[in-house]
């Protein structure tokens, strides 16, 4: 009679749960990377807009012509970009919290899987000691 780990079904459930936790963490990390890329794009747009406004103001003051309506458009667009960055930063903070919680959850799940692996190993060794003819 070969060794059979009686808690194998429970162990498989724990392994499945761990794998699900890994997938969830991978998804969260992907979202984090996407937000970081989005932040980079927004910051570049803001820098470009600030540079364009500075050039526009410099040219306008040299010529003695500053269109208030155009200046308002620049300022509104800058404000919109800053607002998007603020929203994005808040989302990043929330996601970072989720990532940390998910890492903790995954760590707990990993520990559970390890417990079952150690228990199986221990029971297998005990079985082999008590049944030396079967190995």
């Amino acid at each position: 009679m070969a060794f059979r780990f009686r808690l194998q079904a429970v162990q498989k459930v724990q392994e499945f749960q761990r794998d699900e936790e890994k997938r969830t963490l991978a998804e969260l990390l992907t979202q984090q990377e996407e937000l970081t890329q989005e932040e980079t794009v927004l910051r570049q747009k803001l820098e470009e807009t600030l540079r364009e406004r500075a050039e526009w103001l410099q040219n306008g003051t040299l010529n003695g012509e500053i269109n208030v309506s155009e200046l308002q458009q620049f300022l509104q667009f800058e404000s919109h970009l800053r607002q998007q960055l603020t929203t994005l930063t808040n989302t990043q903070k929330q996601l970072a919290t989720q990532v940390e919680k998910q890492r903790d959850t995954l760590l707990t799940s990993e520990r559970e899987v390890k417990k079952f692996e150690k228990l199986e190993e221990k029971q297998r060794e005990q079985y082999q000691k008590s049944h030396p003819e079967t190995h």
Side-chain angles (χ1 to χ4, degrees):
M1 183 167 91
F3 172 76
R4 185 179 173 293
F5 184 50
R6 287 188 228 151
L7 296 173
Q8 187 174 17
V10 177
Q11 182 180 20
K12 292 294 180 195
V13 169
Q14 291 295 330
E15 289 171 351
F16 177 79
Q17 182 66 37
R18 176 204 54 204
D19 293 344
E20 286 298 309
E21 301 301 348
K22 281 182 181 180
R23 277 190 280 283
T24 301
L25 180 59
E27 289 170 6
L28 290 172
L29 291 172
T30 299
Q31 288 175 19
Q32 240 180 358
E33 180 61 31
E34 289 169 357
L35 289 178
T36 300
Q37 290 173 0
E38 188 178 337
E39 178 187 19
T40 300
V41 169
L42 282 174
R43 289 192 185 284
Q44 287 172 346
K45 281 183 183 178
L46 182 59
E47 287 175 22
E48 183 181 322
T49 302
L50 291 172
R51 198 171 28 257
E52 286 176 6
R53 179 173 52 104
E55 288 174 13
W56 178 83
L57 280 173
Q58 186 178 16
N59 290 337
T61 54
L62 290 176
N63 298 336
E65 302 173 4
I66 293 183
N67 184 332
V68 176
S69 177
E70 285 183 48
L71 179 58
Q72 282 182 320
Q73 287 177 349
F74 271 114
L75 296 174
Q76 285 175 345
F77 187 62
E78 289 169 21
S79 175
H80 174 72
L81 289 175
R82 289 180 200 281
Q83 196 172 24
Q84 282 184 309
L85 277 169
T86 300
T87 301
L88 186 65
T89 300
N90 291 336
T91 303
Q92 285 174 315
K93 287 177 185 176
Q94 291 170 352
L95 190 56
T97 301
Q98 286 180 309
V99 166
E100 285 308 308
K101 286 180 183 176
Q102 188 60 34
R103 282 190 172 130
D104 290 343
T105 301
L106 176 57
L107 187 59
T108 300
S109 188
E110 285 281 1
R111 286 184 187 132
E112 287 300 311
V113 169
K114 294 279 186 213
K115 285 179 190 177
F116 280 96
E117 288 172 350
K118 286 180 182 181
L119 180 60
E120 180 184 15
E121 184 180 328
K122 186 176 179 180
Q123 287 182 5
R124 184 180 304 276
E125 287 173 4
Q126 289 173 348
Y127 177 83
Q128 288 174 346
K129 285 179 185 176
S130 64
H131 297 86
E133 69 282 350
T134 58
H135 21 189

